[in-house]
Amino acid sequence: MSWPFDEAIAEFGGGARFALATNSRVRAVHARNLLGWNPMGESIHSWIDHNVK
C-alpha cells in the first residue's frame, strides 16, 4: 500500500521528508519500507546511461 507524502509528513514530521530525500542507501531503504513506497520506474543510473550522450 502506498502512502501519500503529505500524510507521512503529518504522521512522522519533517524527518520523513529528509529520510526520503537523502542519498544514503540505508536511510532510503528504511524510509521506503516504513512509508510503503516502491518505485516502479528505471533507476536514475540506468536512465542516464540510456538517455544522456
Side-chain angles (χ1 to χ4, degrees), residues 32-49:
R32 286 193 301 264
N33 289 337
L34 180 66
L35 300 175
W37 182 63
N38 186 19
M40 303 301 279
E42 74 180 301
S43 74
I44 188 67
H45 298 291
S46 175
W47 184 90
I48 291 170
D49 287 343

Side-chain angles (χ1 to χ4, degrees), residues 12-45:
F12 293 103
R17 178 184 330 252
F18 298 113
L20 290 170
T22 184
N23 278 332
S24 170
R25 287 182 176 259
V26 173
R27 291 179 133 200
V29 168
H30 179 68
R32 286 193 301 264
N33 289 337
L34 180 66
L35 300 175
W37 182 63
N38 186 19
M40 303 301 279
E42 74 180 301
S43 74
I44 188 67
H45 298 291

